Amino acid sequence: MNLWQKIKTSLATTRQGLTQKIDRIFKDRGKITQTLLDELEEVLIMADLGVSATQKIIGHLQEKIRTNEVKDSEEVKDFIKTLIAQILEKNEIEESHKWQPPHVIMVIGVNGVGKTTTIGKLAWRLKKEGKKVLLAAGDTFRAAAIDQLEIWAQKIGVDFIKHQPGADPSAVVFDAIQAGKARGYDIIIADTAGRQHTKANLMEELKKMKRVIGKVIPDAPHEVLLVLDANTGQNALSQTNLFHQNLGVTGIVLTKLDGSAKGGIIVNIADTFDIPIKYIGLGEELDNLQEFHPALFASALLTD
Amino acid sequence: MFENLANKLEGIFKKLRSRGRLSESDVNEALREIRVTLLEADVNFKVVKRFIEQVRVKAIGQDVLKSLTPGQQIIKIVRDELTMLMDPGSLKGPIKPAAFPYIIFLVGIQGSGKTTTVAKLALNFKKEGFNPLLVATDVKRPAAEEQLEILARQIGVGAFRRQGNEGPVAICQNALQRAQLNKNNPIIVDTAGRFHIDEELMAELIGLKNNINPQEVLLVADATTGQEAVNIASTFNDRLGIDGIILTKLDGDARGGAALSMKEVTGKPIRYIGIGEKLDAIEPFYPDRLTSRILGMGDILTLIEKTEAAISQEQAREVEKKIREQSFTLQDFREQLRQIKNMGPIDQLIGMIPGMSRMKGLQVEEKELVKIEAIINSMTPHERRNYAIIDGSRRRRIATGSGTSIQDVNRLLKQFAQTRKLMKKLVQPGKKTKGNFLDLFR
């Protein structure tokens, strides 16, 4: 199954919901009425796009309808698809692969979004690309989090640095980065404990981890990936805001898109922040972490 | 991030009141604001729609239009209706396990917090004198069984995990035998996370339920869940049948609108809420508190709780005594500052105080607090006790020592003097106000 099919299958529920509803809305209707726009609003809000992003999209649509550029169901679909893709594309940046090893990636997020699983899948991807990967068990707080990452490391066949449960996570990453540098690893991925973004002291702990990494390798961590759960509603905005303010997020990973959640919140996030969406998680299997393609995502969301 | 609904409504009505009379379309505008607020709190679109119609009917029935404070009136209706929706007189409170075997299943999608919640419930039961057994049937997620075992050890209760390759049904049956031998009750079963649309895993769970016949099936759901909450809750309820809901991760800033949606589509009560990572961070559900949260209207109860968590009763009494005896010094002031800092970001605390978010321009800089602390740190203990002795030369030294300016030091001393004056007023004899420390914030 190629990537396109995979995304399509995973988003099947969503896609059916959206297009069928949009089709139904426009069927047997000549004029575009307020009721019709209201129903369209419902479709977008139900996909978790949020009120402001939805109103923005509807506003643009109304403008196009007024100037007669959008006239029927098909055109509305195309227009919304293009618009969503544009919003999602806004923050995309050209990947430069010319980094100096070891390249350090720090993975952060609130509890239960799938950080450890994402690290497992990411390590697998990178290993397949021929990279020498080292994992750092930076979640020393949650019971068995270290074991969980260790099981992943064994399964994938990558190396792994850990301390005792309850140890200072900064010490773990410090050791990992030093080891990674000395033993010539290409990539070091640091796990962190899940934390509510509103807890100031826990945010300080993350900032310290970041500082410590930077002490061993001056421009590291090179990437700070924020993991968001596709089931999350508007709170994802607050999560992104606070994590970004404190740690400077360089990319977003959207997980659990294999459920029926729409993940529409990323449209809102892409609209509000200048952070690119890097990967999407489509299932529990190792190869279910995919690069994010804005146009593909928008199409899969809206076309048959 | 969200503007306060109360402020928005006041704004609308204030603008309109200058015209003298409110029309029905004005009420509609207010309802639109309420609608946006609820949607931003992740209440399901359809639930919001029905709700707004209810409020409209009530609002018209109660002659909101003639009221002098229509904004307040509408908010009252909204609050009452929301609270009603979550608590239709069927608030069940905490679970009271009956005779052996009392089996509790915790189910839900991945990452909702099932395993942690199993341990939290167990600790709760243990405190009430029960001897629970935790059962790990999540053999899918790496180290999920270890996690449950570690948590069980931490709280000092038994845990059961499979020895060989048994499936969930066999694991539960074996666990029940063990529980009977060891006189464990209740038996709390952790299940693997699964999406409601995953037919295979749902069928497995239904099979497990039919074989084991649990007394309680509780859906564990993340308070930050978006519009999907409705589908998750209704599918688990329709396919599996649930008895209640546990809402997790309410210690963040989630507005928790999902709770409303789930309650509304399943008709099942919310039994507990999870409010932190510590294993005692679980409590029974209070609809009125969640209502404030969903409406983004300041949460004075949470603020008080946060204060209580940061400042012990003893410390509070100490401060009160000092205020009464007018012996509150800069030393005490610094102690207070440190405690406030422990409570979390200042702007969030302010957001919890009703009415405070109205003062949009009011920015309390965390940096400002750091500065004040630095100034006090640069004083000698003697100066901290007797601020009156701090003369020009001492001020210069303190400013240099703390890396601030003399103006900063002056400002702090002036503010402190004023605070003391205020405290004096509070405890003046003959006045009705008693020396309640909280009065300072009123």
Side-chain angles (χ1 to χ4, degrees):
Chain A
M1 206 195 286
N2 68 24
L3 176 58
W4 168 242
Q5 285 168 326
K6 199 159 214 165
I7 296 177
K8 261 176 72 167
T9 324
S10 295
L11 294 175
T13 358
T14 312
R15 201 178 56 246
Q16 273 174 14
L18 266 181
T19 30
Q20 279 172 4
K21 274 183 206 153
I22 293 179
D23 281 342
R24 204 193 57 228
I25 291 168
F26 281 87
K27 215 176 153 195
D28 304 326
R29 269 194 215 161
K31 255 177 151 181
I32 299 173
T33 60
Q34 184 57 44
T35 329
L36 186 145
L37 290 175
D38 286 349
E39 284 178 36
L40 192 57
E41 182 192 31
E42 171 178 346
V43 171
L44 295 176
I45 285 180
M46 291 283 271
D48 279 324
L49 264 80
V51 180
S52 59
T54 298
Q55 280 174 351
K56 203 166 165 178
I57 289 168
I58 302 260
H60 283 302
L61 177 65
Q62 275 173 318
E63 184 59 31
K64 294 288 169 194
I65 293 170
R66 211 166 45 82
T67 55
N68 242 354
E69 285 167 84
V70 171
K71 292 181 288 286
D72 61 30
S73 164
E74 251 336 287
E75 281 176 14
V76 165
K77 259 192 292 184
D78 283 343
F79 175 76
I80 293 177
K81 188 166 74 186
T82 317
L83 197 60
I84 289 178
Q86 275 171 4
I87 295 173
L88 292 172
E89 262 157 15
K90 169 174 86 74
N91 307 329
E92 254 202 317
I93 39 164
E94 273 302 310
E95 280 296 324
S96 77
H97 287 286
K98 274 183 268 168
W99 37 262
Q100 283 285 321
H103 183 76
V104 183
I105 304 172
M106 195 174 161
V107 180
I108 59 174
V110 301
N111 320 64
V113 287
K115 283 178 296 301
T116 310
T117 309
T118 298
I119 290 173
K121 293 194 260 184
L122 184 59
W124 169 251
R125 264 184 81 97
L126 294 166
K127 199 200 165 196
K128 273 200 306 187
E129 286 173 19
K131 300 281 193 301
K132 199 177 163 197
V133 183
L134 179 68
L135 304 185
D139 181 357
T140 56
F141 178 80
R142 205 200 73 206
I146 298 173
D147 303 305
Q148 188 180 350
L149 193 67
E150 192 163 19
I151 293 170
W152 277 108
Q154 282 161 359
K155 196 163 157 186
I156 306 159
V158 298
D159 292 324
F160 175 76
I161 299 264
K162 66 169 177 183
H163 281 193
Q164 291 301 308
D168 180 357
S170 294
V172 181
V173 291
F174 183 82
D175 278 2
I177 309 289
Q178 290 237 310
K181 215 171 141 185
R183 297 186 219 154
Y185 283 89
D186 297 314
I187 289 170
I188 304 166
I189 311 176
D191 194 8
T192 64
R195 65 203 71 215
Q196 291 297 311
H197 47 296
T198 52
K199 301 257 165 80
N201 52 339
L202 295 179
M203 222 35 135
E204 287 303 322
E205 182 188 82
L206 275 185
K207 280 155 87 174
K208 182 180 165 196
M209 284 174 86
K210 194 184 172 190
R211 277 198 306 274
V212 164
I213 293 174
K215 274 195 182 137
V216 190
I217 302 171
D219 54 344
H222 309 90
E223 290 184 53
V224 177
L225 294 182
L226 173 67
V227 182
L228 296 174
D229 182 336
N231 289 283
T232 308
Q234 304 307 303
N235 192 251
L237 278 174
S238 173
Q239 292 173 18
T240 309
N241 185 32
L242 286 171
F243 276 114
H244 191 43
Q245 255 179 36
N246 283 292
L247 291 136
V249 174
T250 65
I252 288 172
V253 183
L254 188 70
T255 60
K256 304 187 203 173
L257 265 171
D258 49 327
S260 60
K262 282 53 173 182
I265 187 66
I266 51 161
V267 178
N268 205 335
I269 287 172
D271 192 35
T272 315
F273 303 94
D274 293 324
I275 309 169
I277 295 123
K278 301 269 301 228
Y279 300 102
I280 53 177
L282 297 170
E284 290 177 325
E285 301 305 318
L286 269 181
D287 56 352
N288 278 335
L289 184 75
Q290 304 290 347
E291 255 167 57
F292 179 75
H293 297 279
L296 223 57
F297 187 87
S299 299
L301 204 72
L302 293 162
T303 52
D304 295 313
Chain B
M1 191 155 268
F2 303 101
E3 233 197 286
N4 192 312
L5 174 67
N7 304 342
K8 278 194 205 160
L9 291 187
E10 286 306 326
I12 293 171
F13 288 118
K14 205 165 136 198
K15 193 175 70 201
L16 297 167
R17 203 175 300 141
S18 52
R19 285 212 314 264
R21 257 180 65 230
L22 297 179
S23 70
E24 204 175 315
S25 75
D26 302 334
V27 173
N28 284 339
E29 195 183 336
L31 288 174
R32 263 199 297 281
E33 285 299 341
I34 295 166
R35 178 174 170 274
V36 170
T37 301
L38 293 176
L39 288 173
E40 278 174 347
D42 291 321
V43 182
N44 181 269
F45 189 90
K46 295 199 170 95
V47 177
V48 171
K49 208 167 173 179
R50 280 198 292 275
F51 180 77
I52 292 291
E53 279 321 303
Q54 277 172 31
V55 173
R56 189 194 306 277
V57 170
K58 286 258 166 141
I60 289 166
Q62 288 187 14
D63 268 343
V64 169
L65 302 185
K66 286 182 195 153
S67 163
L68 277 172
T69 52
Q72 304 269 334
Q73 192 92 6
I74 286 205
I75 284 172
K76 191 180 176 309
I77 296 171
V78 171
R79 288 190 73 111
D80 292 351
E81 289 293 304
L82 273 182
T83 311
M84 273 275 287
L85 243 162
M86 282 185 282
D87 174 32
S90 68
L91 200 63
K92 291 178 87 176
I95 292 170
K96 300 265 171 263
F100 179 87
Y102 198 85
I103 306 166
I104 303 169
F105 273 18
L106 261 54
V107 301
I109 70 165
Q110 291 91 338
S112 53
K114 287 175 296 302
T115 311
T116 307
T117 307
V118 167
K120 286 181 177 180
L121 275 183
L123 181 61
N124 221 357
F125 289 134
K126 192 192 168 200
K127 282 181 186 163
E128 288 168 18
F130 290 96
N131 178 20
L133 179 70
L134 312 189
V135 184
T137 68
D138 181 0
V139 295
K140 233 176 120 207
R141 182 166 60 94
E145 294 163 283
E146 283 88 341
Q147 187 183 352
L148 195 70
E149 265 185 335
I150 294 170
L151 293 174
R153 248 201 321 276
Q154 278 175 16
I155 57 176
V157 302
F160 184 90
R161 65 186 281 189
R162 66 176 182 179
Q163 301 305 312
N165 242 341
E166 304 93 296
V169 176
I171 298 173
C172 281
Q173 283 163 346
N174 294 342
L176 278 170
Q177 281 180 6
R178 158 92 82 85
Q180 194 157 25
L181 271 172
N182 293 357
K183 300 212 170 7
N184 292 118
N185 199 45
I187 297 104
I188 313 174
V189 179
D190 186 21
T191 63
R194 66 200 78 217
F195 285 119
H196 46 298
I197 54 164
D198 190 326
E199 279 303 324
E200 205 179 307
L201 289 178
M202 277 310 263
E204 179 200 273
L205 195 57
I206 293 163
L208 183 65
K209 187 191 173 191
N210 291 341
N211 271 294
I212 305 297
N213 288 315
Q215 275 63 40
E216 296 270 356
V217 178
L218 300 175
L219 175 69
V220 180
D222 186 329
T224 64
T225 313
Q227 297 286 322
E228 199 51 27
V230 162
N231 296 334
I232 295 171
S234 61
T235 312
F236 269 99
N237 192 39
D238 296 346
R239 298 281 323 267
L240 183 69
I242 60 170
D243 301 296
I245 297 163
I246 299 180
L247 203 62
T248 59
K249 302 180 204 170
L250 266 168
D251 49 327
D253 59 352
R255 301 271 295 277
L260 192 66
S261 312
M262 291 190 287
K263 171 72 188 66
E264 149 88 24
V265 293
T266 61
K268 297 295 158 60
I270 296 160
R271 301 295 294 265
Y272 295 94
I273 57 171
I275 47 164
E277 294 187 278
K278 300 258 160 59
L279 293 175
D280 57 357
I282 188 167
E283 59 177 40
F285 169 70
Y286 303 108
D288 46 339
R289 290 196 195 182
L290 196 67
T291 301
S292 297
R293 233 182 135 119
I294 289 174
L295 293 176
M297 301 192 34
D299 187 351
I300 197 77
L301 288 170
T302 307
L303 179 65
I304 291 173
E305 273 168 11
K306 276 201 170 208
T307 317
E308 279 173 356
I311 305 168
S312 71
Q313 284 284 337
E314 209 173 313
Q315 285 170 321
R317 262 196 299 275
E318 189 69 15
V319 170
E320 216 183 296
K321 192 173 149 232
K322 283 191 168 146
I323 293 172
R324 217 189 305 278
E325 293 168 356
Q326 294 172 38
S327 61
F328 190 80
T329 65
L330 279 162
Q331 186 98 34
D332 303 319
F333 187 55
R334 185 178 60 175
E335 203 44 51
Q336 297 277 301
L337 277 182
R338 287 185 177 159
Q339 280 160 356
I340 288 173
K341 277 206 295 207
N342 284 340
M343 287 162 65
I346 296 289
D347 45 346
Q348 263 180 46
L349 292 179
I350 295 212
M352 284 179 199
I353 305 172
M356 277 301 255
S357 48
R358 202 166 318 175
M359 297 185 237
K360 263 279 134 81
L362 182 94
Q363 286 279 338
V364 179
E365 287 278 340
E366 302 250 25
K367 273 187 195 145
E368 204 56 41
L369 294 186
V370 175
K371 213 187 223 175
I372 292 174
E373 204 184 320
I375 294 175
I376 303 180
N377 284 343
S378 291
M379 296 174 184
T380 64
H382 186 57
E383 286 167 343
R384 287 184 205 136
R385 280 192 297 272
N386 313 289
Y387 75 101
I389 64 159
I390 305 176
D391 56 14
S393 136
R394 285 175 190 268
R395 285 177 200 213
R396 243 190 327 275
R397 193 205 76 239
I398 292 166
T400 319
S402 57
T404 56
S405 66
I406 297 187
Q407 284 78 12
D408 289 328
V409 179
N410 286 342
R411 202 178 311 128
L412 169 67
L413 290 173
K414 201 169 157 195
Q415 277 169 357
F416 183 71
Q418 279 167 352
T419 309
R420 275 188 55 115
K421 225 180 265 169
L422 192 73
M423 288 175 171
K424 211 168 168 180
K425 267 193 201 143
L426 281 175
V427 294
Q428 238 154 43
K431 292 238 171 109
K432 259 191 179 166
T433 33
K434 274 197 128 182
N436 186 345
F437 186 56
L438 269 178
D439 285 345
L440 282 179
F441 301 118
R442 286 194 183 121

